[in-house]
Every structure is written in structure tokens, then in C-alpha cells.
Amino acid sequence: MSLNAYLTLAALVFAIGLFGVLTRRNAIGILLGIELMLNAVNINLVAFARFHGDLRGLVFTLFTIAITVAEVAVGLAIVIVIFRVRRTVEADRLDLLRG
Amino acid sequence: MTLEMVGFWMVAAVLVASSLAVVLTPNLFHAVLYLAAALVATGLVFLLLDSPFLFAVQLLLYAVGVMTVVVFAIMLTERLVGERIVQTSRSLLNGAVVAGAVFVGVVGFLIRAPRSVLRPTLDADAIPAIGRALVGPFAVTLELLGLLLVVALLGALYFARTDE
Amino acid sequence: MPTAVPHGVGLDPAATNMALLVVLLPFVAFVLLAVVAPLRRRGQAAGAVSIAAIAVAFLAALFSWFVWKGDAHVQTWAWIPADEGPTATVGVLLDPLSNAMLVLVTLVSLLVQIYSLAYLRDERAPSLGRYYTYQSLFAFSMLGLVLSPSFIQMFVFWELVGLCSYLLIGYWYERPSAARAAVKAFWITKLGDLGFVIGIVMLWTATGTFEFHALFALAQEHALAIEGLGTIMLLIYLGAVGKSAQFPLHVWLPDAMEGPAPVSALIHAATMVTAGVFMVTRAQPLFVLVPDVLVLMGWVGAFTALLAATLACVESDIKRVLAYSTVSQLGYMMAAVGAGAPDAGFLHLLTHGLFKALLFLGAGAVIHAVGTNDIFRMGGLFRTMPQTGVVFIVGTLALAGLPPLAGFFSKEAVLAGVWDSGMTWPFLMLALSVLLTAFYMFRVVFLTFFGRVPATGHPHEPSWTMRGPLWVLATLTVLVGIRLAAGSLRGRHGPGWLAPLSVAAALGGIALAWAMYQRGAVDPGRLAATFPLSVIDALARRRYGIDGLYAGLYRGFILAFSRLIGWIDRYLVDGVLNFVSALTLRGGDLLRRIQSGYAQDYVYGVAFGVLLLLVWAQWWAR
């Protein structure tokens, strides 16, 4: 398959992930959407690495996977703390940043 | 239709379907499971792109590790005991429009690119080259990554502890 | 660093340093009194400081008169530096004109300040201290004015002198009439000052300098044929019109009598009001280039003299009579300058300074003793205050212009100058004024010092602190007169019939006053009722409506204008500001809604930004 096919696939998954971030009510649901977006990025990186013969894309992917893992851990820890304090993880109820 | 093409379409279908399921299904638990499926499908994409190493890493870290963590988090943040974990999303249309617009925007660039870029032939095995790159030019980055992981770990530990 | 020495003028530092001493001593006294409040609050001590300063200044002035009276010396320092020579300088110009003024100003200031110690004895000490602070400031300002080597320095001191006048007229500021009079004086003279400053600046724009010596040099080399010189000099003359109370800006001087008598003597007789005459005399080389302005000056001066004389005839307040008399005599001086005889005008300025100050101080003594200003409530004071009476009569005779007193010679010189210039109508006006002057002054004398004794008060001679200056001035009046008679130099003589005519006119006026007020042979009321005197009498009693005119103009134009400006300020200017602030607040409220607090809304924002970037990248970065 051509490069464009893979890139299109990645763009589609990215858009779906974005949709999930924008519409999900549960905080963890939002995090799942973020996962999808990061995943799509990885597909992009690997596709470029393969089609341009450049190793750096693969290395970059490794790094992003590791970083994502860290981010998920911390993000979920925060969600847990919010749940403890506010007794809810619904994004609609969390408006402490209101100006 | 080469084998590779067939494989691509199949994996792509699975990936897209499970992604949609992740964001649309009302039950959060189901969403997590669908995400696992999407992550495995991504791993298969990596395999199609001649990176078995990354396929393995994806499976191990994402499909297994991240999912475990997410499941635990769900357990901790829902009032269970027989309750179904329901999800209703807010204003689906707005989100769809915006996400669709982003997709169109990106694809707009892709259309301009030349149609078919041929795959170059694989000369050497990637895995040793990756290894050499990690301890060579990317050594510092690797170390920093380790540091990041330690910090994230500590942070998560700190957050998650109970106050006594 | 002193600036370049002008051509033809000496640069003797001793002379200019002496002049600086004269002007700076009162300044030091002023600063001392202004800053050291405890000193100022002990009234008599403040008086001592001020008097000491002016006394030494007087001695210095006298010294410089005897040593350098014929020469001219100048010393200037750059004030506003510029590339080709300073734009404005500050310094002293000591020549016969300013030297004479130095002596006059310091002498009269000294006598007045000594006199004030007794006259204002009943004032509270802090008020008295304030008085002497102002007196020192005034002395400094007036001396600085006469020593100015440039128009701009003169203007600065001009304004300062006006300020001091305001402060001293309103010395008893708790009295509403005094406060009003001070403001009125300030306003009316400010009108003239407006013309003055515009004229100066126009002159500077045309010639590039404010300095007198440079301007006079240009005038001499006929290099001053600029357009609109007439307008410029007319505007500058306007300043003199205001300051020296010429018609129609004379209305402030009678009201200025609200101030204490010594203030009237100093400022409104001998010194400040003469600043206008001084300035016109100083700027003679420029005025001779515009003969039309000089002719106007002569006419206005003569008319002012006559007008004020008629107004004095119907006044019953002794100080007001003297005020109108001052206006009248200022008219004489300006008429002389306008007729091309500035030396005569200046001579009259000097002699008038002496005897008018004398008359005011004498009037002050009378007021202090009797407790009223109204001459119809006085009478027979000669018996109880003979010395005051004598000096007052000496002053009156000088003012009327009888030989051998000083006033005769200076008045004769003025009349001669006007006659020689061929200005007939002004001459007639001035001659008539001679008669009227003698008349109204002796009216005052007869009503005040002779006649029936009224029932009120016990008048007595004032203390020697007040009497001393009176005798000094009276003696000087006589001595100066004798000196003028003996020297028979300064001043013109005119045609042979002039001197007898003026003496006859004066005697005629005295005789008329004697007949009306001493003898009762002619009833003033009946005389005033006969035509055409009745018309003049009626008009004069209403001050010819000029005050009313000014008040009407003020109410009609200035107040209306103020109200308009006020409306603009409140509704337009403030309106714009209020609108902008309301806009900001409303805008802030609207923008606040972006901060919903929901993280997903912020993601929407990010997504929009990304979309914009994509669009931009598509189209622009082609």
C-alpha cells in the first residue's frame, strides 16, 4: 500500500480520537480518546520511517510510546484524586477553572 | 491485490471500527476493551510496515500495560455494586464537525502529495540499528526518558496514596 | 558665563554688581521670610528683616546713582541656551533710566515699609509677617523689572509685579470687596498683558531676539522695517495700557484702594503703575518707528487724564480721589511719551512718585486717625493734626502744579512737549485737567482739614513712625522742586505763555474749590445741576458705565463660554471616557464566557487553532 494510505488511516484514527476527546463525558473516556490520537501519530511516524528508509522514525516511536505510558499513569492518578475529592469524574461537573 | 494489500485493508477496517467503538459506546468498560482491540490492530499495522520490534513493544506496553492501568482506574472511580457504567456524550454533532474538519484539513495535504511512493528495499535488519541508535546518537534522550519515567512514577505514587 | 557685550555699552562689573545687590537684597529677605515661618509669624521681626534689606538696597541704589548715573552698563547670562546665541538671557541693565527708577523704588519702598509698622500695628503678627513677605517680593519684582535688559525678563517681572499687586490688594482677604478688587485688578491687567506677550513674541519671531540693545541697534540701522511693526508695538503698548491704567483699562485702579494705604502709596502711585510708562520710555527707539502708535498713545493719555479728573470731582472717598488722580497723572505721562517727549513723561513719573506717595500716606494717617474714608465726614483736622495737614498741603500744591514745587516743572514739561508736537486737542484736554486737578484736590483739602469739625472720634497726630516718612517725602518734594528751578535744565519750556497759563489754571481751580467748599459761596449741588455739567456729573457718578460694561461682557461672554466648555467637558469628554470604559467592561464580561472551566471546551479551542493553521498552510505557504 502506498504511503498515503497509511497516512490517511492515521489521520482517520486521529480524527476519531479527537472526536472522542471532545464528546466523552467521563474523564477516563477522554483519556481513551487521547490514547487513540497518540496511536495515530505512531502509525504516521512508522509509515514515514519505512517509506523514507529513515531509522529515526522508529526510534521516535519508541520514545513516544514510553512517554505516553508515563502520561497515562500520571493522568489516571490525577483522575483518581479528583474522584476522591469531588466524588465525580464527569467532565461536566469539573469547572474549577471557570473565570 | 497483493497479500500485503489485503492485510492492510483488513487491519485498517478493524482499527477504524474499534476506534469508532471506543468513542461511541456508552459503556466505559466496553470502550476500554475496544481500545485494546484498536491497539492490537495498530500493532498489526506496524507489522505490515516491517517493524516486528515495534509490534512487540506496542503489544507489551500498550495493549497489556496501559489497559491494565486504565481498568484499575475505572474500578477506583466508579460507584459500582451492580451499577452499569453509563456514558452519554455531550453534543456529538459539534465534536463530529470539528473532528471531521481536522481530518479533511490533513487529507487536503495528502492529496497534494505524489500518488505512490514506492517502498524502498529493506537493506539491513532494523533492530540492531535501533539498538545502536539508542545508545549512540540518542543516548541522552534515552536517559532523559528514563528520568521522565521515574518522575511520572513518583508523581503517580504521590497522587494515588491515601492521606493518613 | 556672561554673554557678549553689546555695542556702545560699558561692562563695568562694579556697576552691574551693585545693581545686582540692589535687586537681590529684597529677594533674600523674601525667601527668608517665606521659608522661615517662625520668623515670619513674629510680625515686627519680619518687618525688621524686610526694612533692613530695602534700606541697604536703597543705599546701594543711591551709591550707584552718584557714581554711575550717566553711564550705561549691562551684564547678562544665558537663560535659554541655543546654537547661535542664547534665545533668552537674564541680567541687569544699568543706565540713567533704570538708575533713577532704582532710587525711586527703593526710597518709596523703604518709607512705606517703615510707615506700615505703625499703620498696621493692630494687625495680628502672622498677618503682618505675610504683609512684609509680600512687600519684599514686590520690591524684588519691581527692581528686577526696571533692571531688565530684555523684553522677556521684563515680562516675567511684569507678571510678578502683577501678582504682588493682587496679593497686597487682597491683603485683607476676609473682606469680600477686597478679594473682588484683587481679582478684578488681576483680570484687567491680564488683558493688557495678553497684548504685551503677543507683541513680544511677534517681535521675536520677526527679529530673533528679545534683547533691548539688539533691537535698538536694529532700529537705528533702519533694519527693522518689518511688516506689522505697528501692530506689534500697539500690542506691546496694550500692556502699558493695562498696567498704567489708561482708558479703557483704568477700572481696576480705583477698586485697588481696598488695600491698605501704604500699599496704595507704593504700588498704585509710585511704582507698579508706572511700570507701563517705564516700559514705553525704555522702548522709545522702537516706538519712534511707528508714529501712529505714538499719536494714539498721546490721545489716549490725554483723554484718560481728563476722564479721570472728572471722576475724581464726584468722589467722596479720599483714597478713591487719589486713585483717580493717579490715573489722571498717568495719562499725563503717557501723553508726554506719545507726543515725543519721553523725558518729560519720565520726569513727571519721578516727581509724581514722590508727592503721590506722600498724599497717600497722608491720607492713610487721616484715615487711621478718623476711622473713615469719607471726606464728608471729616473736617477741621488741621487743628488737631497740623503736621499732617502741612505735608498734605505740600503734596497737593505739588500735584496741582504750583512753583517752586517739583510738580510744576514736570507738568510744565509735559504740557510743553504736547504743545510742541502740535497735538492741539490733547493739549486742551491736559490743560483742562490742570484746572480740574487743582479743583478736586483742594476740594479734598478744604473738606478734610478745614471747615466744621464733625462729632466723631478724636483725631490726633500719628506717631513718628508714620510722620517721619511723610516729612521726608514732603521735604524731597520741595528740594527737588528747588533743584529743578535752579538747574532749569531737565524739561522743556515751551512757549512763553505756557507757564503762566498752567499756573493760572491751577490757581483758578483752587479758587473755585475755595469758593465752593470753604466759603460756601457757590453751591456745588446747584453748579453740578447746570448743563452741561449736569450731564457730566450724572455720568461721572456712574463711572461712565464702564464698569457695568465690563461686568456685562463678563457675564454675557465669559460665563456663557465657561458654561459651554463645562458642558463639553462633562458630556463629551467625560462621555467618551465613560463610553470607552463601559466598552471595556462589557467586552470583558463577554470575553469571560470563554473561560467556561470545562477542559473539553478548551480542546475545542485548540482544535480551532489547528484548523486555522491548516487552512493558512494550505493557502498561504503554497
Side-chain angles (χ1 to χ4, degrees):
Chain A
M1 280 316 285
S2 66
L3 173 63
N4 280 1
Y6 284 98
L7 296 183
T8 314
L9 175 63
L12 189 56
V13 175
F14 183 85
I16 293 170
L18 180 63
F19 172 74
V21 170
L22 291 173
T23 55
R24 276 299 202 185
R25 218 176 253 183
N26 192 305
I28 298 181
I30 298 175
L31 278 169
L32 296 182
I34 294 175
E35 283 304 305
L36 277 178
M37 286 160 80
L38 289 166
N39 233 23
V41 168
N42 284 343
I43 297 177
N44 238 349
L45 282 169
V46 175
F48 273 119
R50 178 66 186 88
F51 278 85
H52 292 156
D54 196 342
L55 208 54
R56 289 179 294 185
L58 300 179
V59 176
F60 203 169
T61 312
L62 275 176
F63 290 143
T64 54
I65 292 176
I67 290 168
T68 310
V69 167
E71 168 253 322
V72 163
V74 174
L76 286 171
I78 291 174
V79 166
I80 290 172
V81 172
I82 288 180
F83 180 75
R84 276 206 212 127
V85 171
R86 286 288 192 133
R87 284 284 139 201
T88 177
V89 286
E90 265 188 69
D92 287 351
R93 303 265 178 80
L94 302 169
D95 62 349
L96 288 167
L97 283 173
R98 180 183 277 279
Chain B
M1 282 289 242
T2 64
L3 195 60
E4 190 256 331
M5 276 177 75
V6 171
F8 171 78
W9 282 113
M10 281 171 55
V11 172
V14 170
L15 179 56
V16 171
S18 51
S19 309
L20 281 170
V22 167
V23 297
L24 289 175
T25 180
N27 189 325
L28 188 64
F29 219 28
H30 292 174
V32 173
L33 294 174
Y34 284 124
L35 182 65
L39 293 173
V40 171
T42 312
L44 288 171
V45 168
F46 290 160
L47 203 58
L48 283 170
L49 286 171
D50 303 314
S51 315
F53 174 62
L54 278 176
F55 165 63
V57 168
Q58 173 85 354
L59 283 187
L60 278 173
L61 289 184
Y62 260 126
V64 175
V66 171
M67 286 305 106
T68 315
V69 176
V70 173
V71 165
F72 273 122
I74 294 175
M75 294 299 187
L76 286 170
T77 60
E78 294 294 329
R79 292 184 207 117
L80 301 176
V81 190
E83 249 180 68
R84 255 193 44 158
I85 304 149
V86 181
Q87 282 284 294
T88 44
S89 317
R90 328 157 63 206
S91 64
L92 288 175
L93 185 62
N94 290 352
V97 165
V98 172
V102 170
F103 176 67
V104 165
V106 173
V107 165
F109 277 99
L110 291 178
I111 292 179
R112 303 257 200 82
R115 258 323 170 88
S116 45
V117 178
L118 295 172
R119 284 198 202 210
T121 47
L122 269 178
D123 28 337
D125 201 2
I127 300 171
I130 294 174
R132 270 196 295 275
L134 278 180
V135 296
F138 294 102
V140 176
T141 320
L142 190 64
E143 299 306 319
L144 286 174
L145 195 61
L147 192 63
L148 174 72
L149 289 173
V150 170
V151 168
L153 191 63
L154 287 172
L157 271 174
Y158 172 76
F159 272 130
R161 70 178 164 81
T162 50
D163 308 307
E164 271 143 28
Chain C
M1 195 71 205
T3 54
V5 61
H7 182 67
V9 175
L11 191 51
D12 186 358
T16 50
N17 287 345
M18 188 64 70
L20 272 174
L21 184 72
V22 174
V23 73
L24 288 177
L25 273 168
F27 181 65
V28 169
F30 163 68
V31 171
L32 205 63
L33 290 174
V35 169
V36 183
L39 176 64
R40 183 176 73 241
R41 282 196 218 111
R42 284 133 126 245
Q44 304 270 341
V49 168
S50 183
I51 290 174
I54 196 73
V56 178
F58 170 62
L59 290 172
L62 212 54
F63 181 80
S64 107
W65 171 256
F66 283 119
V67 173
W68 293 292
K69 72 164 161 258
D71 321 326
H73 297 276
V74 81
Q75 174 103 330
T76 55
W77 293 266
W79 178 16
I80 304 177
D83 279 329
E84 317 112 21
T87 307
T89 62
V90 62
V92 291
L93 166 64
L94 188 69
D95 67 352
L97 193 67
S98 56
N99 219 337
M101 288 298 289
L102 281 186
V103 175
L104 178 71
V105 172
T106 49
L107 172 67
V108 179
S109 283
L110 175 65
L111 294 173
V112 159
Q113 287 189 22
I114 294 175
Y115 181 95
S116 305
L117 278 176
Y119 189 80
L120 295 176
R121 201 182 343 120
D122 298 325
E123 289 288 315
R124 284 173 32 248
S127 280
L128 192 61
R130 177 166 59 96
Y131 176 82
Y132 277 106
T133 317
Y134 293 159
Q135 281 276 5
S136 285
L137 179 65
F138 172 77
F140 163 65
S141 315
M142 191 68 205
L143 292 166
L145 195 155
V146 306
L147 284 171
S148 298
S150 67
F151 265 124
I152 189 141
Q153 184 178 332
M154 184 182 265
F155 180 71
V156 171
F157 281 110
W158 190 273
E159 293 296 315
L160 259 179
V161 164
L163 173 71
C164 292
S165 165
Y166 164 83
L167 289 171
L168 284 165
I169 294 174
Y171 172 63
W172 287 313
Y173 55 81
E174 300 94 356
R175 292 188 204 167
S177 54
R180 266 201 299 275
V183 173
K184 182 175 179 179
F186 202 72
W187 261 107
I188 304 283
T189 50
K190 192 57 64 189
L191 215 54
D193 295 349
L194 197 62
F196 191 34
V197 71
I198 294 177
I200 295 179
V201 172
M202 280 172 74
L203 192 60
W204 175 79
T205 325
T207 59
T209 177
F210 289 111
E211 309 291 310
F212 287 137
H213 71 84
L215 290 168
F216 299 163
L218 281 174
Q220 276 210 315
E221 297 155 19
H222 305 287
L224 212 53
I226 40 180
E227 301 227 343
L229 185 64
T231 320
I232 294 176
M233 296 319 290
L234 180 68
L235 285 169
I236 294 183
Y237 166 60
L238 258 182
V241 168
K243 199 64 115 199
S244 291
Q246 301 289 291
F247 175 83
L249 298 179
H250 64 280
V251 294
W252 64 272
L253 194 49
D255 286 354
M257 297 300 113
E258 291 288 337
V263 168
S264 308
L266 178 62
I267 298 186
H268 305 123
T271 49
M272 186 188 102
V273 292
T274 56
V277 181
F278 173 79
M279 183 268 281
V280 169
T281 311
R282 168 68 85 209
Q284 259 310 95
L286 297 175
F287 276 106
V288 296
L289 297 175
V290 283
D292 293 334
V293 177
L294 284 178
V295 168
L296 178 72
M297 208 185 288
W299 275 84
V300 169
F303 181 70
T304 306
L306 184 59
L307 184 80
T310 59
L311 286 167
C313 291
V314 298
E315 268 294 339
S316 57
D317 180 327
I318 188 173
K319 282 179 70 179
R320 281 252 157 88
V321 173
L322 291 174
Y324 280 118
S325 167
T326 309
V327 175
S328 181
Q329 298 304 308
L330 287 168
Y332 269 88
M333 297 176 214
M334 293 293 259
V337 176
D343 45 324
F346 190 67
L347 178 66
H348 196 54
L349 190 160
L350 293 173
T351 60
H352 172 265
L354 287 178
F355 57 71
K356 192 47 75 58
L358 168 64
L359 285 170
F360 265 111
L361 292 182
V366 166
I367 295 170
H368 205 237
V370 180
T372 174
N373 289 18
D374 191 342
I375 53 176
F376 288 105
R377 298 229 290 241
M378 305 176 191
L381 287 173
F382 199 82
R383 240 161 282 147
T384 43
M385 311 169 66
Q387 291 188 32
T388 314
V390 164
V391 296
F392 198 86
I393 291 176
V394 168
T396 311
L397 287 172
L399 179 52
L402 287 175
L405 295 168
F408 165 70
F409 296 99
S410 57
K411 227 176 223 188
E412 193 204 352
V414 169
L415 288 169
V418 175
W419 175 259
D420 283 342
S421 72
M423 298 165 87
T424 338
W425 276 104
F427 177 80
L428 289 173
M429 286 194 263
L430 288 176
L432 185 56
S433 306
V434 173
L435 193 149
L436 288 174
T437 306
F439 168 71
Y440 65 68
M441 280 313 297
F442 270 92
R443 166 176 174 260
V444 170
V445 168
F446 286 132
L447 282 173
T448 314
F449 289 101
F450 300 101
R452 284 170 292 116
V453 181
T456 56
H458 351 248
H460 52 276
E461 284 283 16
S463 65
W464 270 105
T465 324
M466 279 165 72
R467 254 183 293 167
L470 288 173
W471 276 111
V472 168
L473 286 169
T475 319
L476 278 173
T477 312
V478 175
L479 284 178
V480 170
I482 294 177
R483 176 76 173 75
L484 289 172
S488 140
L489 25 86
R490 307 188 149 271
R492 311 144 178 263
H493 292 286
W497 48 265
L498 185 60
L501 174 70
S502 66
V503 174
L507 288 173
I510 298 176
L512 187 61
W514 182 73
M516 280 166 70
Y517 294 100
Q518 184 67 353
R519 274 300 193 157
V522 181
D523 180 26
R526 286 249 307 277
L527 183 62
T530 60
F531 189 85
L533 290 174
S534 58
V535 175
I536 302 179
D537 179 61
L539 285 173
R541 284 190 195 276
R542 279 173 201 66
R543 316 250 189 108
Y544 296 99
I546 302 180
D547 277 311
L549 180 69
Y550 279 125
L553 280 174
Y554 177 75
R555 244 176 270 123
F557 286 107
I558 297 184
L559 278 182
F561 187 62
S562 304
R563 263 181 237 122
L564 175 69
I565 298 286
W567 184 88
I568 291 178
D569 183 54
R570 259 192 308 279
Y571 289 103
L572 293 184
V573 176
D574 281 356
V576 167
L577 291 174
N578 290 344
F579 175 71
V580 169
S581 81
L583 203 65
T584 314
L585 285 171
R586 214 68 71 60
D589 274 337
L590 276 174
L591 282 174
R592 198 192 207 203
R593 303 223 202 118
I594 296 180
Q595 300 281 95
S596 64
Y598 300 123
Q600 282 168 315
D601 289 348
Y602 300 157
V603 178
Y604 268 111
V606 173
F608 274 126
V610 168
L611 280 174
L612 279 174
L613 276 173
L614 286 171
V615 167
W616 173 77
Q618 281 275 15
W619 275 329
W620 193 81
R622 229 161 247 219

